[in-house]
Amino acid sequence: MIIERSSEWKEGFTNRLENLEPWQNWTLYNMNYEIVKANLITDFYGLQSPKYLPNLTPLNHQLKVAETVIERMNGKAILADEVGLGKTIEAGLILKEYLVRGLVKKALILTPASLINQWVEELNYKFYIPAIPYKKNTPIEYYDVVVMSMDTAKKSPHKELIYAQDYDMIIIDEAHKLKNHKTKIYEFVQGLKKKFCLLLTATPIQNNVFELFYLISLLKPGHLGNYEAFQSSFSASKHSLEHDDYLRELVNQVMVRNRRQDTGIEWTNRRVQIIPIDFTKEEKEVYEMISELKNMCPVFSDTFSMITLQREMCSSKEATQLTLSKMREKCVELKEIEYMESVMQKLMALEMNSKAEKAYEIISQANDKVIIFTEYRASQAYLQDYLYSKGITSVLFNGKFSKSKREWMKQLFKEKAQVLIATESGSEGINLQFCHHVINYDLPWNPMKLEQRIGRVHRLGQEHDVHIYNIAIRNTIEDSILELLYTKIGVFEKVVGELDDILTAFKKTI
């Protein structure tokens, strides 16, 4: 039999091109359909993608996560590995697998702005996925894989552009930022068409158990019932629930979580401790005067304002003074103004900061690189000045810095400075395995923020034991913070699973 190349297609092609004839043809469609169908990989056991990734050597636990999500969870899952175990790699493997299988063509990755470049770089160079970072006026309809910040995506006109696309896969990094149905980003994500969807977070419960309910409802609406049914079935309140074994079973149908001890990798240890200290007599007097403001000035009757001031007083007089100055303007009665003036005079007369003294003591004993986490930029500036007076070099890191400045600060810390003083923004998007001392100068209300902070140093590549120092001032608001942190840790471990040490090396029963 002689096979010759046909040229008949040329005539049809020319006619359609010149005479604007329709291109649709049912026979051609069926032929194309059969070719695509033949090229699909129908066996969903095992991964095809690793053999196409010469620049990547995935760890066993990362491969197992990808297999589990594809084979058992149909591409809709929460990836909840502990911080530093490579959730980005797992998501990249899953995305690459679906691209290889022909089941995904367009994908959207939503992430905090500080992580955009990291995602683009890893997808391009490790996975050979041509991802682009979204910028203003980027014609996203012409790009198959787009990485965009959450804050940009939820706003007009960007959200309308996204809704007009047909994305096969949505990936959301730091998915705990979605929080609940009342936030704009949650509402935006809820409106997306989600054929496949990955939510990445080491901390699916941040403050209360309902956050996990809302995350799962995004993936599989109704999996935990509606809000009222969930609340009733598990007697759920913010910080307590019942039937946690059954709830964990339901959660595990849509969530994959590895702990460090599950990976087969030899990890360095965490040395965690709470360091209780006392105010000086003068500091205690000012703290009590501040606490009395709620009875002296109506403007301080708001519980949140009072708690904020008490926390700031536990941090630095600089942070406290800023808030007091703003609140003083709202006082109208003479006796209120006079009392405020006396508080501020006593505050600014303080010559010692007990917490800063303890931090300096820890840094001196460590004689190594140290990260200090504070909640307030005013305390950040004070600590830098205080440490400088003691002959210790430091750099700052906070959310007001541009991406390039953040990279510069990180480089300075690695090569020049002994201390990095960071606000909460320093607990995301930077990897600092060359450091292994962390001081939590101010305690957050949320235990998962502690885990995120520690995860900056206790991650793959860390070669030393990591030392964590949690400073807390006795007989202040920080006692209440500690109690609530233990309660929230208990809820997390009931539903999600055990946590590595973040407060102390022992578990406290509330």
Side-chain angles (χ1 to χ4, degrees):
M1 183 173 69
I2 299 174
I3 300 176
E4 295 180 349
R5 186 188 296 266
S6 172
S7 60
E8 291 181 6
W9 64 272
K10 289 183 180 178
E11 183 180 349
F13 179 81
T14 304
N15 286 336
R16 288 187 175 87
L17 198 62
E18 293 179 352
N19 302 320
L20 299 178
E21 293 182 9
W23 292 86
Q24 298 93 329
N25 182 297
W26 184 246
T27 303
L28 290 175
Y29 171 81
N30 276 324
M31 289 172 64
N32 186 59
Y33 175 82
E34 291 301 323
I35 291 170
V36 172
K37 184 178 175 182
N39 286 334
L40 283 177
I41 302 163
T42 56
D43 185 0
F44 264 72
Y45 291 95
L47 299 178
Q48 306 291 324
S49 55
K51 60 189 176 187
Y52 301 109
L53 304 174
N55 291 345
L56 180 71
T57 306
L59 300 171
N60 285 334
H61 74 273
Q62 295 165 344
L63 292 169
K64 286 179 182 176
V65 166
E67 287 176 355
T68 299
V69 171
I70 290 169
E71 294 171 9
R72 286 180 31 215
M73 298 179 176
N74 300 317
K76 289 188 175 184
I78 299 173
L79 306 187
D81 284 2
E82 287 186 325
V83 176
L85 295 188
K87 290 182 289 295
T88 307
I89 298 297
E90 293 165 358
L93 279 170
I94 295 165
L95 174 57
K96 185 70 174 182
E97 191 69 22
Y98 279 125
L99 287 167
V100 168
R101 293 174 184 272
L103 295 175
V104 166
K105 286 191 175 181
K106 287 177 72 74
L108 174 68
I109 295 96
L110 299 176
T111 177
S114 60
L115 302 181
I116 289 177
N117 290 342
Q118 180 182 318
W119 268 95
V120 170
E121 185 176 333
E122 292 209 359
L123 289 176
N124 277 278
Y125 296 108
K126 289 184 180 177
F127 294 96
Y128 293 95
I129 296 173
I132 61 117
Y134 178 82
K135 295 178 182 175
K136 190 177 180 181
N137 299 324
T138 299
I140 59 176
E141 63 271 22
Y142 298 121
Y143 296 96
D144 289 335
V145 183
V146 177
V147 184
M148 187 183 301
S149 85
M150 295 181 185
D151 285 338
T152 299
K154 70 185 181 184
K155 299 172 185 173
S156 295
H158 316 288
K159 69 176 182 180
E160 287 80 11
L161 289 172
I162 295 168
Y163 280 152
Q165 309 305 308
D166 287 317
Y167 287 108
D168 302 301
M169 174 171 275
I170 307 294
I171 298 174
I172 302 174
D173 197 6
E174 304 292 346
H176 51 268
K177 291 181 178 293
L178 300 178
K179 293 186 181 295
N180 58 55
H181 66 300
K182 294 180 181 178
T183 64
K184 284 187 176 180
I185 184 61
Y186 187 97
E187 183 182 341
F188 165 73
V189 172
Q190 196 172 32
L192 288 170
K193 292 166 267 188
K194 297 179 283 293
K195 179 179 174 184
F196 302 112
C197 184
L198 302 176
L199 305 179
L200 281 59
T201 173
T203 54
I205 295 178
Q206 288 266 309
N207 278 301
N208 66 70
V209 72
F210 295 108
E211 292 167 340
L212 181 61
F213 165 80
Y214 284 113
L215 283 184
I216 291 175
S217 296
L218 274 179
L219 287 177
K220 295 182 74 173
H223 184 69
L224 298 179
N226 60 24
Y227 182 89
E228 290 76 18
F230 173 77
Q231 195 174 30
S232 172
S233 298
F234 300 102
S235 301
S237 63
K238 282 187 175 183
H239 305 136
S240 68
L241 51 86
E242 297 176 3
H243 314 299
D244 45 280
D245 287 342
Y246 177 51
L247 178 56
R248 190 186 291 198
E249 184 181 324
L250 289 173
V251 169
N252 286 340
Q253 292 174 16
V254 293
M255 185 179 77
V256 188
R257 181 171 186 261
N258 285 300
R259 298 189 63 206
R260 292 174 187 85
Q261 65 189 41
D262 302 327
T263 61
I265 300 168
E266 189 172 338
W267 288 85
T268 59
N269 296 315
R270 283 188 184 185
R271 310 291 185 186
V272 190
Q273 56 183 311
I274 292 175
I275 300 177
I277 62 171
D278 295 303
F279 269 145
T280 63
K281 179 184 174 183
E282 293 77 15
E283 287 173 313
K284 186 175 181 182
E285 182 183 356
V286 176
Y287 182 86
E288 289 173 349
M289 288 180 73
I290 286 172
S291 299
E292 185 61 24
L293 277 168
K294 62 179 179 291
N295 299 320
M296 298 296 296
C297 308
V299 72
F300 290 100
S301 59
D302 174 51
T303 303
F304 178 78
S305 298
M306 177 50 57
I307 288 175
T308 298
L309 264 176
Q310 289 173 326
R311 293 186 70 202
E312 287 171 339
M313 181 58 204
C314 290
S315 183
S316 70
K317 69 180 182 183
E318 286 75 10
T320 315
Q321 194 267 342
L322 279 176
T323 300
L324 279 176
S325 297
K326 293 175 185 176
M327 301 300 280
R328 181 176 57 179
E329 298 172 3
K330 300 180 181 179
C331 296
V332 291
E333 298 289 335
L334 180 61
K335 65 175 183 177
E336 296 174 11
I337 296 171
E338 289 177 344
Y339 187 80
M340 283 283 286
E341 291 290 345
S342 66
V343 172
M344 293 184 72
Q345 285 176 10
K346 291 251 183 203
L347 175 72
M348 298 316 294
L350 291 174
E351 295 180 354
M352 180 178 173
N353 183 319
S354 297
K355 192 182 274 187
E357 292 278 347
K358 177 57 70 173
Y360 167 66
E361 182 185 319
I362 294 167
I363 293 165
S364 299
Q365 290 174 354
N367 194 29
D368 201 350
K369 292 193 181 293
V370 179
I371 303 174
I372 300 179
F373 281 102
T374 176
E375 296 274 293
Y376 310 104
R377 288 201 297 274
S379 296
Q380 203 183 21
Y382 160 73
L383 283 168
Q384 185 174 46
D385 185 62
Y386 171 76
L387 292 175
Y388 178 78
S389 72
K390 299 287 187 178
I392 293 175
T393 55
S394 65
V395 292
L396 305 184
F397 193 100
N398 65 52
K400 293 293 183 181
F401 292 174
S402 65
K403 292 177 189 175
S404 57
K405 187 171 182 179
R406 288 184 183 198
E407 282 301 313
W408 177 234
M409 292 298 105
K410 176 182 169 182
Q411 202 63 27
L412 282 177
F413 177 44
K414 186 174 184 179
E415 296 177 0
K416 303 285 185 182
Q418 183 182 352
V419 177
L420 178 76
I421 308 171
T423 57
E424 209 57 60
S425 63
S427 65
E428 287 181 355
I430 53 170
N431 303 330
L432 303 167
Q433 293 95 323
F434 57 85
C435 175
H436 40 277
H437 293 271
V438 177
I439 297 175
N440 288 308
Y441 182 86
D442 296 320
L443 293 172
W445 290 106
N446 180 353
M448 299 305 112
K449 286 188 176 181
L450 288 174
E451 175 61 25
Q452 290 280 355
R453 292 175 180 181
I454 298 167
R456 297 306 97 212
V457 299
H458 197 219
R459 57 195 301 115
L460 288 170
Q462 178 57 261
E463 298 177 354
H464 302 271
D465 287 354
V466 174
H467 300 265
I468 297 101
Y469 313 90
N470 299 305
I471 305 178
I473 302 174
R474 294 187 186 97
N475 302 312
T476 68
I477 188 66
E478 293 190 335
D479 285 340
S480 301
I481 292 174
L482 278 172
E483 287 298 311
L484 188 56
L485 285 172
Y486 279 117
T487 300
K488 290 179 177 180
I489 288 169
V491 172
F492 184 98
E493 293 192 332
K494 276 185 176 182
V495 181
V496 178
E498 289 286 310
L499 267 175
D500 212 335
D501 300 331
I502 57 176
L503 280 176
T504 58
F506 62 88
K507 303 295 180 185
K508 180 176 177 180
T509 305
I510 300 297

